[in-house]
Amino acid sequence: MDLTELLNKCALANKPDEKKVNELERKEDELFQKIYREWKGTKAEDKDLTYKVIPKFYFKLPKEDEILPQKLREETRALFLQKRSRQLLDNNELKALWVLLDKHHSKPISGDEQLINYEDFKKVGALAGSKCAPYFTAVVFAKLQQGDPHGRISIMALFNYVMRKVWLHQTRIGLSLYDVTGQGYLRESDLENYILELIPTLPQLEGLEKSFHSFYVCTAVRKFLFFLDPLRTGRVRIQDILACSFLDDLLELRDEDLPKDLQEANWFSAPSALKVYGQYLNLDRDHNGMLNKEELSGYGTGTLTGVFLERVFQECLTYEGEMDYKTYLDFVLALENRHEPQSLHYLFRILDINNRGYLDTFCLNYFFRAIQEQMTMHGQEPVSFEDVKDEIFDMVKPADPCKITLQDLLSCGQGDTMVSILIEFHGFWAYENREAMAADNGDESSHV
């Protein structure tokens, strides 16, 4: 036997049994798991086996470069929206529902209004079919109660309720088609596409030149974003769009015979949009498409104080010290709707010169000094700041007697008046002469 063979035999003799080693390692692992569980405690998912069968409920959105998952998701959403659309009542089905309601109204007759009791209500629901089932429940019947001594509800109120629900669902589906991300909200570009494609369906906008369409869309979209996106995230929830009245105002333009006064009061009408854009062009004296502080000072009655305008340009988005049309629209919406919470939030941010979240005597005095200067320029005796300060605090009644917060402004119900006193001479003059103006209005109404 040579040396090599002898060494190999010695190595084999000293090699441990692999089976025994594996068995020892398994026992060691079991012991460790037992000690670890006793130390940490048993988890709920170890006790309850149903944890092992919970379906997956979170799916990551596909990335932009993942073309196939993107296409699959778009197709799936389109099929889902089509299915939901088929579940809605069409015009013929609504007409058939009205015939059923008209046939099954309940006695006794109460004037010209047709009423229906709960038994007949359920009977109509059964005859109307499965599509109408969601509208013929006890909850809906209770909602439409108006104190009838026989416990009935108005057929017209019920039909209007169904019509409104169908319209809401149709509109939600229509808006969802523009929801590119599929997460229940529309971005600014999505809203722009929606309104641009809506323009041809609105008879009141037929006269708009195509060159003005982009400015119209910008004007319309800005109202949605200003009021429904106060945190400036660049997107608006579809649920919020449906809950507010803006869409009703926009779709009101389908009425070919809409009165002139309603058109002028509607932000989305052609006369209103042209008026806002026309004012912007008139203010832009150097015709560079932007507004500087001097140009913006001509806004409205031209009595906004320089101090206020200075703060506007400090706090709002500008380009080399000049304001573009979108920023101007926010400015207009804030000043024309000063009683709205979003407008007060916008204006409070400008008044809060120290960014402390409250207005103190120093802030109020900082803005009111400019009002006093305008009073002197107009030949009027300046009013004492102390008197105005006391009136403001009495008006707002803040939680802290030395500080006015945004919540105080929202709660007092007179935030718009307080802001007007501080930012423009015309607003202050109207407040100072409110009693005389009220008396004049009373005299005028008595002569009518």
Side-chain angles (χ1 to χ4, degrees):
M1 182 181 297
D2 60 8
L3 180 60
T4 304
E5 189 178 351
L6 180 61
L7 290 172
N8 286 336
K9 283 187 176 182
C10 289
L12 288 171
N14 294 327
K15 187 177 180 180
D17 187 343
E18 192 172 340
K19 288 184 178 180
K20 287 184 178 180
V21 171
N22 290 340
E23 182 65 20
L24 286 171
E25 287 180 351
R26 186 184 64 77
K27 288 182 178 180
E28 182 182 357
D29 185 60
E30 286 180 358
L31 182 61
F32 174 79
Q33 292 285 353
K34 180 183 177 184
I35 295 170
Y36 180 78
R37 280 196 298 270
E38 289 175 356
W39 168 73
K40 192 169 183 180
T42 306
K43 292 182 181 178
E45 51 262 43
D46 293 333
K47 292 180 179 179
D48 192 344
L49 296 178
T50 59
Y51 277 92
K52 298 184 183 298
V53 293
I54 293 177
K56 185 175 180 180
F57 58 87
Y58 174 72
F59 300 87
K60 286 184 179 180
L61 290 176
K63 297 177 181 177
E64 291 183 5
D65 58 346
E66 295 176 332
I67 298 174
L68 187 60
Q70 285 275 17
K71 291 291 183 185
L72 178 62
R73 191 166 186 273
E74 288 173 14
E75 188 66 22
T76 305
R77 286 188 64 249
L79 291 172
F80 170 74
L81 293 173
Q82 288 173 17
K83 180 182 177 183
R84 293 302 300 267
S85 183
R86 289 194 296 270
Q87 292 172 351
L88 298 178
L89 297 171
D90 58 29
N91 287 336
N92 291 331
E93 289 167 329
L94 284 168
K95 288 177 184 176
L97 174 61
W98 174 253
V99 171
L100 282 173
L101 288 169
D102 185 51
K103 188 185 294 184
H104 290 84
H105 64 272
S106 309
K107 295 181 180 181
I109 296 173
S110 177
D112 296 330
E113 189 175 23
Q114 292 181 314
L115 303 171
I116 188 168
N117 61 32
Y118 187 67
E119 289 182 4
D120 291 330
F121 171 81
K122 294 302 288 184
K123 188 185 297 181
V124 170
L127 293 170
S130 59
K131 278 191 180 181
C132 292
Y135 310 116
F136 286 85
T137 65
V139 173
V140 172
F141 190 86
K143 277 182 182 178
L144 299 175
Q145 282 289 336
Q146 293 182 341
D148 178 69
H150 301 283
R152 299 169 298 174
I153 62 171
S154 164
I155 284 178
M156 182 59 72
L158 173 60
F159 188 70
N160 286 338
Y161 173 83
V162 174
M163 288 271 287
R164 179 68 179 170
K165 281 287 188 180
V166 170
W167 180 85
L168 280 172
H169 288 305
Q170 285 175 339
T171 308
R172 178 159 201 148
I173 291 169
L175 289 169
S176 296
L177 292 172
Y178 294 85
D179 177 11
V180 176
T181 64
Q183 293 186 296
Y185 60 77
L186 299 183
R187 301 167 302 177
E188 184 173 0
S189 58
D190 302 331
L191 270 170
E192 287 172 348
N193 291 333
Y194 172 73
I195 292 175
L196 186 62
E197 294 182 20
L198 193 65
I199 289 175
T201 70
L202 304 175
Q204 286 294 337
L205 300 180
E206 283 180 359
L208 282 182
E209 294 183 10
K210 283 197 173 181
S211 59
F212 184 68
H213 281 189
S214 60
F215 292 101
Y216 174 82
V217 169
C218 179
T219 306
V221 167
R222 212 66 215 154
K223 183 162 187 176
F224 284 96
L225 290 171
F226 182 82
F227 288 105
L228 303 182
D229 181 29
L231 298 179
R232 301 296 177 258
T233 61
R235 64 191 192 184
V236 178
R237 293 195 310 165
I238 291 175
Q239 185 177 342
D240 293 337
I241 295 175
L242 294 171
C244 75
S245 63
F246 301 159
L247 210 55
D248 288 334
D249 295 340
L250 183 59
L251 298 178
E252 187 179 53
L253 304 179
R254 289 175 174 169
D255 184 359
E256 296 181 12
D257 302 317
L258 191 65
K260 189 176 180 181
D261 58 331
L262 292 180
Q263 288 187 49
E264 291 175 353
N266 189 333
W267 173 266
F268 301 102
S269 70
S272 176
L274 289 166
K275 178 184 173 184
V276 173
Y277 186 63
Q279 288 172 342
Y280 182 77
L281 293 180
N282 289 334
L283 291 172
D284 182 19
R285 294 196 294 270
D286 60 9
H287 307 294
N288 70 340
M290 309 275 273
L291 301 181
N292 57 37
K293 279 177 281 193
E294 186 180 348
E295 290 171 333
L296 189 61
S297 66
Y299 172 80
T301 58
T303 59
L304 290 169
T305 66
V307 171
F308 172 69
L309 293 173
E310 182 73 33
R311 283 288 299 153
V312 169
F313 277 80
Q314 287 174 3
E315 288 294 324
C316 299
L317 177 64
T318 56
Y319 303 88
E320 296 182 359
E322 294 200 308
M323 177 184 288
D324 71 349
Y325 187 52
K326 284 186 180 180
T327 306
Y328 173 75
L329 288 171
D330 286 347
F331 177 80
V332 172
L333 287 165
L335 291 181
E336 288 190 357
N337 302 275
R338 297 179 201 184
H339 59 286
E340 295 290 342
Q342 296 87 347
S343 299
L344 288 174
H345 189 279
Y346 174 99
L347 294 165
F348 183 86
R349 182 163 53 93
I350 293 169
L351 295 176
D352 183 12
I353 55 177
N354 295 317
N355 294 317
R356 293 177 177 173
Y358 63 83
L359 309 180
D360 55 14
T361 302
F362 178 82
C363 289
L364 302 182
N365 188 34
Y366 179 80
F367 285 97
F368 191 71
R369 276 183 300 177
I371 298 291
Q372 290 174 318
E373 290 172 7
Q374 286 195 351
M375 293 184 72
T376 303
M377 286 170 56
H378 287 82
Q380 296 189 18
E381 189 69 27
V383 176
S384 166
F385 167 70
E386 288 298 321
D387 293 340
V388 172
K389 182 199 73 172
D390 292 341
E391 286 190 41
I392 287 175
F393 274 91
D394 287 343
M395 185 191 308
V396 177
K397 295 180 176 58
D400 185 323
C402 299
K403 300 173 183 177
I404 296 175
T405 64
L406 175 60
Q407 189 56 52
D408 293 328
L409 276 188
L410 297 172
S411 301
C412 73
Q414 299 190 66
D416 55 327
T417 303
M418 193 212 90
V419 169
S420 298
I421 291 172
L422 296 175
I423 69 172
E424 63 174 333
F425 174 72
H426 178 77
F428 174 75
W429 186 89
Y431 174 75
E432 278 292 286
N433 296 275
R434 60 193 182 282
E435 294 178 359
M437 291 171 69
D440 290 342
N441 291 335
D443 291 341
E444 288 177 9
S445 61
S446 65
H447 290 301
V448 174

